[in-house]
Amino acid sequence: MCPYVCHVCSYIAIIYFFTTNVAAQGWINAHATFYGDMQGHQTEEGACGYEVFKEGYGLATAALSTALYQKGAKCGSCYEIKCVNSPSCKPGSIRVTATNLCPPSNGPQAWCNSPKHHFDLTEPMFLKIGQYKAGIVPVQYRRVHCVRLGGIKFLLTGNPNFLLVLVHNVGGAGDVTSMKIKGSKNNIWAQMSRNWGMNWKAGGGVLTGQALSFKVTTSDGKTLALNNVAPSNWQFGQTYQGKANF
């Protein structure tokens, strides 16, 4: 107790909260493996909906275990990973984007099963922190800010009765928790629903013949409205880029 200097008590409380909060957001224990070869092989659509080279994520990517993937909610999030407590470790750390699911499996080495925290890396990224012969290494990880060039991108797919929007190249937190869409004719924001991965579905028609605007909210609570991203003559299978990013 500090009856004669209450402001000191408050200051100590603030410092205690700050330090414990920072500790809570520190490094978390996990493991990492790798797949493919030095060129990578995931050119097909992964569980997040991304084609990693087409969408610009490249080899600095990872498939997340079930516990980290969270049914697609963490697609697009970014992580710093370092190898620890193994003679197979190399110094330094890497930064990767979550682009896929490492599916659960059977057997004693089911690294991607819940509740384990695990990263399946491309071979080039694994070799930056661990030796090839190890195959699997203990790591520590933490969430980091995603740095993206240019604005948020939206790939429009579907048919005249169904609009699906893949949101990617998202900076900041990287993982999207809410999407809204607005057509230029009605000027009303409509809530979209997560269909799978980072694909979001628009209900009530596809808003053909209208310029499309999007409102994106990420897991840190930040929201960005991007107006008239797609022109009124937009087409399925095309990607449209907003003018801003987090």
Side-chain angles (χ1 to χ4, degrees):
M1 297 293 292
C2 306
Y4 54 97
V5 281
C6 292
H7 64 283
V8 174
C9 292
S10 299
Y11 179 76
I12 293 173
I14 292 171
I15 293 297
Y16 176 77
F17 173 80
F18 177 78
T19 54
T20 54
N21 191 48
V22 168
Q25 297 178 9
W27 295 93
I28 301 171
N29 293 324
H31 284 83
T33 50
F34 67 91
Y35 67 89
D37 52 29
M38 288 300 289
Q39 284 71 47
H41 70 267
Q42 188 207 329
T43 56
E44 73 282 359
E45 196 172 60
C48 290
Y50 310 131
E51 293 182 34
V52 293
F53 293 107
K54 179 181 178 182
E55 262 85 56
Y57 293 116
L59 294 171
T61 56
L64 304 183
S65 61
T66 304
L68 293 176
Y69 179 73
Q70 295 182 21
K71 298 181 179 180
K74 293 306 172 186
C75 291
S77 55
C78 297
Y79 301 86
E80 182 179 8
I81 303 172
K82 61 182 180 180
C83 184
V84 295
N85 303 323
S86 171
S88 297
C89 288
K90 295 179 182 178
S93 65
I94 58 173
R95 294 194 174 204
V96 296
T97 300
T99 59
N100 208 345
L101 167 67
C102 181
S105 58
N106 297 320
Q109 295 181 339
W111 296 106
C112 291
N113 291 25
S114 184
K116 296 177 181 177
H117 288 200
H118 188 84
F119 296 86
D120 196 22
L121 305 169
T122 61
E123 184 177 331
M125 297 309 290
F126 181 89
L127 293 181
K128 289 179 181 291
I129 59 172
Q131 298 179 24
Y132 181 92
K133 64 180 182 180
I136 182 170
V137 292
V139 300
Q140 290 183 333
Y141 74 93
R142 62 185 177 186
R143 285 284 299 270
V144 292
H145 186 92
C146 297
V147 179
R148 305 291 180 221
L149 296 176
I152 297 175
K153 297 180 181 180
F154 306 86
L155 170 61
L156 309 184
T157 59
N159 56 55
N161 301 308
F162 182 83
L163 177 62
L164 205 62
V165 180
L166 174 68
V167 55
H168 59 285
N169 199 51
V170 182
D175 49 339
V176 176
T177 57
S178 176
M179 280 267 291
K180 292 183 179 181
I181 189 171
K182 181 176 66 173
S184 56
K185 292 181 180 179
N186 56 28
N187 204 34
I188 298 174
W189 288 108
Q191 183 66 50
M192 303 179 74
S193 60
R194 187 191 303 277
N195 191 266
W196 62 277
M198 272 298 148
N199 281 288
W200 294 78
K201 176 185 176 182
V206 296
L207 305 173
T208 54
Q210 302 183 55
L212 303 181
S213 300
F214 298 98
K215 187 176 288 187
V216 180
T217 301
T218 48
S219 63
D220 56 0
K222 295 181 179 179
T223 299
L224 187 62
L226 300 158
N227 293 314
N228 300 319
V229 175
S232 59
N233 62 343
W234 60 266
Q235 298 179 359
F236 292 112
Q238 296 298 311
T239 297
Y240 300 92
Q241 186 169 5
K243 296 181 180 180
N245 213 323
F246 291 101

